[in-house]
Amino acid sequence: MITIEAVGLWKSFGAARAGAAPPSAVPATAETATTETAGKETAGTRRAGKRLAEPVRALRGVDLSVPRGGVCALLGPNGAGKTTVVRVLATLIRPDAGTARVGGHDVLREPGLVRAAIGLAGQHAAVDDDLTGRENLFILGLMHHLGRRGARARAAELLDRFGLADAADRLVKTWSGGMRRRLDLIASLVVAPLVLFLDEPTTGLDPRSRAEIWAAVRALAADGTTVLLTTQYLEEADRIADQIVIIDAGLVTAHGSPDELKDSLGSRVDVVLADAAGLDAAEAVLADIVTGPPRLDAGERRLTAPVAAGAVTLPELVRRLDAAGVTAEDVSVRRPTLDEVFLDRTRATGGYPA
């Protein structure tokens, strides 16, 4: 069952006129607002004596699909459009074009039903520091019409489940940052959501607190909650997401599981020889498995070459070099990291680094 589905989402901010035609016909590469040819000035030019900023196209045709119980991580540089996607899906803003459904409900035609099915933890804590953790959750339970007894029971259940029971009756302002972030997370779970949106849930947390949030997210997914999170931590996405979507300048530039994205870049072979005279022979050994020109460094006696994922194993490569009489001091077959995938699929990069 697909719990989150978005097709062709567009969203602009800035000087675009309200009610203007949706940008579905605008090429994804268009970066400037248009002007009228009869000498009249529109958005992005002077009007009423002031120069208006060109509209910022935050989303330019984003497609997204997440099955029930899945954890999908949205990655991208600052300003790529990650938070805008979350805000559209959570019905906080309306897209200019495209469609989106959450929990089977259309975000434009059925926003109330969407809101009833989701939980949202934004980038900034939404709990009250001058209340205890228990009081925060109890009040939220009353707001969700659980009744006094139901609200108390749900608060106790969540505090115990997420390891906050011992601190439950202390004021939240006395808690650590990690504890407060966990409380912010479980505040969105007072009524168990079908879908949970997390906008950079571990920003600023120490490694232990981050690991606690990761464990909480995995537990929610195991219970059937669909999680869509944005993050700047690639290790976080690699550890907890079963699907990753990379967004750059409002466009989806890559999607797949962490392993699929890494395999899309292939692997890299590094061979350090005992004698630089053997570089040509080593290059000949690799000739039938490389996917691009090898790099030879006579000074370091090193040969580096890209190969397809799974094209050769380390023992097989060592045997090939031995059979050709090439003496190597060091041989490695290295898989790319998610960081390298990110750099390769976003703009400010020269590609997969050597």
Side-chain angles (χ1 to χ4, degrees):
M1 174 184 173
I2 301 300
T3 311
I4 302 173
E5 184 174 27
V7 179
L9 290 182
W10 283 76
K11 181 62 184 178
S12 296
F13 297 99
R17 296 188 306 274
S24 56
V26 179
T29 55
E31 294 292 345
T32 59
T34 60
T35 58
E36 297 177 6
T37 58
K40 296 181 180 179
E41 296 175 317
T42 60
T45 65
R46 295 187 182 279
R47 182 188 297 158
K50 295 182 179 180
R51 183 172 181 81
L52 300 179
E54 295 176 353
V56 176
R57 294 194 176 98
L59 302 179
R60 299 190 291 163
V62 168
D63 297 334
L64 186 67
S65 179
V66 187
R68 181 165 188 176
V71 179
C72 178
L74 294 181
L75 304 181
N78 291 332
K82 305 183 297 296
T83 298
T84 303
V85 171
V86 171
R87 293 177 68 194
V88 167
L89 295 174
T91 74
L92 297 177
I93 57 175
R94 294 172 63 90
D96 298 329
T99 62
R101 299 179 69 82
V102 176
H105 305 295
D106 189 282
V107 299
L108 293 178
R109 294 195 295 266
E110 304 169 292
L113 294 176
V114 171
R115 291 169 195 150
I118 67 173
L120 171 63
Q123 293 183 18
H124 306 289
V127 294
D128 191 328
D129 286 351
D130 292 320
L131 298 176
T132 68
R134 191 183 306 278
E135 288 168 343
N136 268 283
L137 298 181
F138 174 72
I139 290 172
L140 287 171
L142 293 180
M143 293 172 65
H144 283 288
H145 309 291
L146 298 183
R148 299 182 68 85
R149 179 178 297 179
R152 287 196 192 94
R154 184 59 173 164
E157 175 190 350
L158 290 172
L159 289 164
D160 182 64
R161 177 179 176 184
F162 290 92
L164 295 174
D166 290 343
D169 296 310
R170 285 170 30 206
L171 295 180
V172 171
K173 63 185 175 184
T174 69
W175 291 17
S176 69
M179 294 168 65
R180 293 167 70 179
R181 195 61 176 131
R182 265 188 288 162
L183 181 63
D184 200 42
L185 170 62
I186 65 177
S188 63
L189 305 176
V190 169
V191 175
L194 178 65
V195 177
L196 178 61
F197 296 116
L198 302 175
D199 197 5
E200 300 190 9
T202 63
T203 296
L205 299 185
D206 62 76
R208 183 181 298 277
S209 297
R210 288 173 61 199
E212 291 169 348
I213 295 294
W214 295 349
V217 170
R218 284 193 292 264
L220 290 169
D223 288 343
T225 297
T226 303
V227 179
L228 179 68
L229 64 92
T230 71
T231 182
Q232 297 286 4
Y233 298 117
L234 301 187
E235 178 196 6
E236 180 166 280
D238 206 358
R239 291 278 295 273
I240 66 174
D242 42 46
Q243 179 184 354
I244 290 173
V245 175
I246 298 178
I247 299 178
D248 191 23
L251 295 167
V252 173
T253 59
H255 63 89
S257 70
D259 285 341
E260 288 170 343
L261 292 180
K262 294 172 190 175
D263 287 345
S264 71
L265 288 190
S267 299
R268 188 178 73 181
V269 168
D270 285 302
V271 181
V272 179
L273 304 178
D275 188 339
L279 284 171
D280 289 341
E283 184 178 359
V285 169
L286 298 178
D288 63 335
I289 60 172
V290 298
T291 58
R295 178 181 301 174
L296 304 179
D297 187 328
E300 294 189 1
R301 310 182 311 281
R302 180 187 297 273
L303 180 150
T304 301
V307 298
V312 65
T313 63
L314 182 58
E316 180 185 356
L317 179 57
V318 171
R319 287 194 296 269
R320 288 189 180 203
L321 292 169
D322 286 342
V326 176
T327 303
E329 291 184 349
D330 185 62
V331 181
S332 65
V333 178
R334 190 174 71 81
R335 192 184 196 195
T337 64
L338 195 56
D339 295 62
E340 290 167 330
V341 175
F342 180 89
L343 292 173
D344 187 76
R345 298 294 188 261
T346 53
R347 287 177 299 174
T349 176
Y352 181 19

